[in-house]
Each structure stands twice: as C-alpha cells, then as structure tokens.
Amino acid sequence: ASRPDATLGSYQSVQLSILRYRDFWQVINPRKFCTTWDDVVQNKATGKLNVQVQANQKDVYMHTVRFPNDSHPKHYEKRFVEKTGVYILIISNCGDFADATMSGTIVVKNSYGFLPGNEYYKMPFYGWLLLVYAGLALVWLGLSFRWWKELFHMQNCIAAVILFGLLEAFMWYIFYSDWNAQGVRGKAVFIFATLLTVVKSTFSYMLVLVASLGWGVTRPFLDRPVMLKIQLLCFFYIVLDFIRETVLSYRHSHTLSLAFVLLCLLPVSLLNGGIFYWIFTALSNLMETLKERGQTEKLTLFERLWKFLIWTLTAATFTLLFQILNLTKSVTERWKYQWLLSDGIPHTLFLLILAAMMYLWKPHENSQRYAYSTQVDDCENSGAQLGIVGGRTVWAQHGQLADDDEGEQDDADSFWATTGGRTGGTPADVIGVSGPDQDRTTF
C-alpha cells in the first residue's frame, strides 16, 4: 500500500549492515532474522535486525536508511572498519512496507586505496616483476649486441618472449595502480593486459613445441600438416585461456559459482596437458635423432631442457591441484594468499623456465653450432677429418656425396690437400669458414 511522505519519514526498518563474514551466523539468527520491539526494549537486538548484543561484538556496523524528505535530505554516511577480513553487506527491511525503491552507491576504500584486499598484493608483485623483466631484457640485449653475427631464430624468439613479459607486467601494474587510485576497473587496460598474458603464454608454449619438433635444429622448417595443427592449437588456446583469465578475475565481484569456474578451468588444463604430452614426445624423438647422428652438443642442450621442463611441469601440476582444492575452502581462509596461486606462482614458474632457456640458448661466439646445419659425428666415431684452412679450424667428412663429374675430382684433390693433406675422394660437406681465396661449401 502507498503511504504519504510524512508517514515514510518515520519509517526506520530499512537497514544497511556490515559485519565480518565468519561471524555472520553467530550474529544473525536464521530462525528469527527480524526482531520485535520487545527485543529492542530488552536490549537483545539493535533496530529491526536481530543482532546479538554482546560486550565483545565490535565488528558490526549498522545504518538505518531513511526515506528522503524535508526533514531527512539525502546524505552520505561514513563508517570506519577497524579489523582486516572479509566483510558481508546486508540490506534488510523488517517493516511492513514493500512498495519502495531504494538506490544509492556504496564505496569501500582501504587505507592504501580502492583495491580489494585479495587483489592488493598483485600491484607490488607486478611492479617487481616489471623490474625483473627489464633486467632480463637488458642482459639479453647486451649479449645480442655483443654476438649479433652469431644470432639465430631461437634467440630472436626468446627476445620476443621477454618483450611480451615486459609489456604484460607493465600493463598489469598500470591496471592495478589505476584501480587502486580511481576505484574503477579500466576495461580497456584489462582487456589489453589479459591479451598480452594469453599471447605470451601461447607463444612460449609453441616456441618450446616447435623447438622440440626439431625446427631450426634438425630441420629447416616443419611440414605443412604439423603447422596447421599448431595454428589450430594456438587459436583454441588463445580463446579458452582468455575466457579463463576473465572468469578468474571477475569470479568474486560477480559471485560466480564454483562449478562454472571449474568448467572454465578444465578446457585450458586439458590443453596444457596435451601440449606438454606433445612436447615431451617430440623432445624424446629429437634426442634419439641427435644421439643417432652423434650431435653431442645439441643433445646435451636438449637433455638439460628436458630436466627443466620436468621440474616445471611437476611444480605446475601441484599448483593447479592446490588451486582447485583451494576453491572449495571458505573465502575467509584463502583471500590473503589466493593471489599467490592465481598470479604469483604461475608467473614465477614461467620466469624460471624463461631464465633456463636464456641460459641454454644465450648468445656466444659458438651460438651457430646449435642452429640447423649438417653437423658431422664426433671424430672418434665417424673418422671425420680436422684441418686448418686460412687460419680457421674446419670439420669435414668425405664419402657422403656422389661424384658424377671427373672435373670435380681435381677440386676435391685440391681441397683435401689443403685441409688434410690427402688426395682422392669426393667433395666434402664443410661446416666452418675457409680462407678468402679458397673455394668452399658452407652451411
């Protein structure tokens, strides 16, 4: 029923209450949510909300909402919350009037700014992460300038991953700093930062995958069917991982159900499992190929990469399982450290594997020996010849190419006379650089 403004001016049954989440059922009686005037008179409750009045009950903050009129104009009510924790906001109407509309704004600000307590630690974390990536970028840039003639595609891809990581950390730091200062999430910055996170992860996984498949190591390019599979995998991973990142970011503000969150986590987890299975299978085959060809330096490098990946996969698996288990716990238990599971540990693991790859593929004077080439077997296993041409050491092995032209025989005699002091035989595959006046074939 409708009431005149004069009557609504004395209506005091609409209340806003803020109390600690863990104390909710200790303070509120589920069987008797609203109190009576007798309870108020006997000091069993305050107002129309059934709050057990106890001497040590100091974390309950209540405000009676009055209908605006001449005697009660619109105003702002400010309350100071003294203890850290998860709080719940209750809007209650224990009176007999139900035909009114209430509107307003609730602003929560901490001593450090507007960031929620469960998001605050991400801001300094991304600040430090930005400095770490900047340091890695400077180190890699210095090494690349020092040995720029020895660079090959793997080292250029690592530089791209560092750049993605640097931009990602910068955008997330800007996002949380702006949120903390303004109190509103910047949607454009959030989308751009999330895309950088997804693209960085996808590019990194695909880089390890194509390296394990032998791209640039035992073959100059990958087959077209394999490339189509990788491109399709990239598309699905970018879409599903973007959904996952968005859901994890908004699951608290939009009170998303646990089943929905797990449903968004599962596809990406399955994709990660499939990608790692493909990587380890391809890496195992690659190491067998390198072992058969006697390419010991490349074999040692990929054996170290295998160990790093095993360690990272184990840590990531335990983190994922603990993160899923953590979702089943009460928010009062996990709000302080949930940022560590969603952002801290994954980024730290990624940084460690990136540092490992930087160590394995760091630019140096012999970087080109890890690139694709027709590398010969060890000297003791295959009878390769070592000689000096123009002051440079040259590895060569004869007997691999057919000689169909007698004219080439004289060139071969001249070559072997220069490199090994031998005559006869066939032209050699040469890995190295000969003197300026020598005819040679280089790879």
Side-chain angles (χ1 to χ4, degrees), residues 11 61 176 247 328 368 381:
Y11 191 80
Y61 307 88
Y176 286 111
V247 168
T328 62
Q368 286 293 332
N381 296 330

Side-chain angles (χ1 to χ4, degrees), residues 47-65:
K48 289 292 183 177
L49 186 63
N50 188 12
V51 178
Q52 297 180 6
V53 180
Q54 300 177 5
N56 58 352
Q57 195 63 259
K58 299 180 180 180
D59 300 325
V60 179
Y61 307 88
M62 304 181 65
H63 169 65
T64 300
V65 180

Side-chain angles (χ1 to χ4, degrees), residues 211-426:
S212 302
L213 290 170
W215 176 64
V217 181
T218 58
R219 61 180 72 180
F221 55 85
L222 298 177
D223 297 334
R224 182 173 179 81
V226 176
M227 289 301 301
L228 289 177
K229 291 180 181 178
I230 293 176
Q231 292 170 2
L232 189 63
L233 183 62
C234 288
F235 172 76
F236 281 108
Y237 194 89
I238 290 175
V239 172
L240 294 175
D241 199 30
F242 184 84
I243 295 174
R244 169 186 171 275
E245 291 290 339
T246 304
V247 168
L248 289 178
S249 180
Y250 283 92
R251 69 184 185 277
H252 296 298
S253 60
H254 290 67
T255 60
L256 301 177
S257 65
L258 176 61
F260 180 77
V261 174
L262 292 177
L263 184 63
C264 295
L265 290 176
L266 184 60
V268 180
S269 301
L270 293 176
L271 270 182
N272 285 332
I275 291 173
F276 272 98
Y277 175 78
W278 194 359
I279 288 175
F280 281 109
T281 302
L283 194 56
S284 178
N285 295 333
L286 177 62
M287 290 191 296
E288 287 295 329
T289 301
L290 295 175
K291 187 181 298 184
E292 292 174 358
R293 296 182 181 181
Q295 299 184 3
T296 54
E297 292 186 352
K298 293 181 181 180
L299 178 61
T300 302
L301 184 146
F302 281 97
E303 285 177 345
R304 292 176 180 175
L305 178 61
W306 175 280
K307 294 177 182 179
F308 280 125
L309 290 177
I310 288 290
W311 179 85
T312 305
L313 181 61
T314 302
T317 301
F318 279 109
T319 302
L320 177 62
L321 293 177
F322 190 74
Q323 185 178 9
I324 294 176
L325 178 63
N326 189 60
L327 290 175
T328 62
K329 296 183 179 180
S330 173
V331 67
T332 58
E333 300 178 15
R334 55 184 168 87
W335 72 272
K336 286 185 178 181
Y337 61 86
Q338 67 182 16
W339 73 272
L340 195 62
L341 296 175
S342 62
D343 291 70
I345 294 179
H347 281 284
T348 302
L349 290 176
F350 182 88
L351 198 62
L352 291 176
I353 195 64
L354 176 60
M357 294 189 68
M358 291 174 63
Y359 171 75
L360 294 177
W361 274 284
K362 62 180 179 296
H364 53 82
E365 58 183 353
N366 298 317
S367 294
Q368 286 293 332
R369 71 176 58 183
Y370 298 114
Y372 170 74
S373 63
T374 311
Q375 181 179 343
V376 298
D377 296 345
D378 290 340
C379 180
E380 65 271 19
N381 296 330
S382 58
Q385 297 295 325
L386 179 65
I388 307 298
V389 180
R392 299 291 299 274
T393 303
V394 178
W395 281 99
Q397 183 175 1
H398 60 283
Q400 295 182 353
L401 297 177
D403 181 15
D404 295 328
D405 191 347
E406 293 181 358
E408 295 178 357
Q409 182 67 35
D410 296 334
D411 294 337
D413 293 341
S414 176
F415 176 82
W416 285 105
T418 303
T419 58
R422 297 183 57 178
T423 58
T426 56

